[in-house]
Amino acid sequence: MPALSPELRFPFNGEPHTVFLKNVISRANIEVGDYTYYNDLIDPTAFEDQNVRYHFDFIGDKLVIGKFCALAQGTTFIMSGANHAMTGFSTYPFHIFGETWREGFDERIIFDHIRGDTVVGNDVWFGTNSTILPGVEIGCGAIIGANAMASKNVPPYAVVVGNPGKVVRLRFEQHTIDRLLEIAWWDWPTEKITQNLDAIRGADLTALEKASVV
Ligand SMILES: CC(C)(COP(=O)(O)OP(=O)(O)OC[C@H]1O[C@@H](n2cnc3c(N)ncnc32)[C@H](O)[C@@H]1OP(=O)(O)O)[C@@H](O)C(=O)NCCC(=O)NCCS
């Protein structure tokens, strides 16, 4: 049987609510890895417009999402363009509304607030309506709980819940996490992943170690 192609737009038997995300992204400042999917009962193909907010080309920040991530409905990335200047007496963005109010506005103030790229590792699961704030980095294997607000970097294989998002536990002991990051099964050819699903799904580190050296 041929391996499931990551190039499919609707990989779940053609069901229209689930997309392999990279195939519905047109913006150069968003990168998504193979097999990462987004599910949305309204329109998953509108992800880059509806779920990636305040992502302006002139700011230049990127959203990078790895492979094999699962994004539930409403997963939202707030990008750096969201933040108003906060150093003055008012946060109101006078400059965007017209010539008179634009005069004298120092654009460098906007760039002072840029938090940088938002970077998600591989095999990350985002719960329904989870939100990721600008510049956050999320490690491989993490879980972002339903309605969580990820405001700080998330270590690999951490479970984050709540607002502000807090790490409530690591999914595995640190030595196992270190090995998983070294083995990086998500970078294997799809056929090899398919052959070793029992080890991946079953959390069998011995079998995964064995497979990694073949
Ligand atoms: C994050 C999550 C995976 C944790 O699951 P779990 O490890 O089984 O956690 P538990 O249910 O044992 O809860 C552990 C603690 O975290 C709290 N908690 C769990 N999920 C939470 C959430 N999303 N927000 C706030 N608190 C949460 C629990 O109340 C519990 O608190 P306590 O220790 O004070 O009793 C799960 O709760 C979740 O949010 N899943 C997302 C589901 C989803 O959105 N799916 C979309 C379709 S893919």
Side-chain angles (χ1 to χ4, degrees):
M1 206 133 114
L4 180 67
S5 168
E7 309 308 321
L8 292 170
R9 195 172 160 94
F10 299 108
F12 188 31
N13 297 323
E15 190 272 340
H17 301 119
T18 304
V19 288
F20 275 159
L21 193 52
K22 71 169 194 172
N23 302 319
V24 299
I25 297 296
S26 65
R27 300 217 303 256
N29 50 7
I30 303 179
E31 284 172 28
V32 181
D34 287 353
Y35 298 107
T36 284
Y37 76 87
Y38 176 56
N39 172 265
D40 192 316
L41 291 179
I42 300 171
D43 182 8
T45 68
F47 178 86
E48 65 183 2
D49 293 325
Q50 290 183 6
N51 303 62
V52 186
R53 310 256 179 92
Y54 312 103
H55 198 193
F56 306 126
D57 285 343
F58 79 94
I59 288 189
D61 54 341
K62 276 191 169 178
L63 170 60
V64 181
I65 303 176
K67 303 178 202 171
F68 293 98
C69 294
L71 281 68
Q73 178 153 341
T75 301
T76 301
F77 294 89
I78 311 274
M79 304 302 290
S80 278
N83 281 349
H84 290 197
M86 291 178 277
T87 46
F89 289 136
S90 172
T91 55
Y92 190 84
F94 292 98
H95 63 285
I96 68 175
F97 290 111
E99 298 99 51
T100 325
W101 283 355
R102 193 176 302 127
E103 270 168 32
F105 177 67
D106 183 356
E107 286 223 329
R108 283 174 304 184
I109 290 174
I110 292 179
F111 289 94
D112 284 349
H113 291 278
I114 288 172
R115 298 276 176 101
D117 297 343
T118 298
V119 181
V120 175
N122 306 285
D123 192 20
V124 176
W125 173 28
F126 292 91
T128 307
N129 292 326
S130 54
T131 302
I132 296 78
L133 289 179
V136 167
E137 294 188 10
I138 299 178
C140 295
I143 299 174
I144 312 299
N147 282 316
M149 177 72 68
S151 59
K152 295 207 162 85
N153 291 353
V154 176
Y157 291 92
V159 180
V160 169
V161 300
N163 182 359
K166 298 272 185 226
V167 175
V168 286
R169 66 184 171 89
L170 293 181
R171 296 175 54 209
F172 304 107
E173 288 181 10
Q174 193 58 51
H175 74 89
T176 303
I177 293 173
D178 294 342
R179 285 305 297 140
L180 289 170
L181 295 174
E182 274 161 26
I183 293 171
W185 62 262
W186 41 79
D187 289 334
W188 293 354
T190 309
E191 292 74 14
K192 182 169 173 173
I193 292 173
T194 309
Q195 281 157 15
N196 292 285
L197 274 187
D198 285 351
I200 296 168
R201 286 196 289 230
D204 186 342
L205 187 57
T206 311
L208 203 67
E209 296 271 18
K210 227 178 184 172
S212 72
V213 291
V214 176

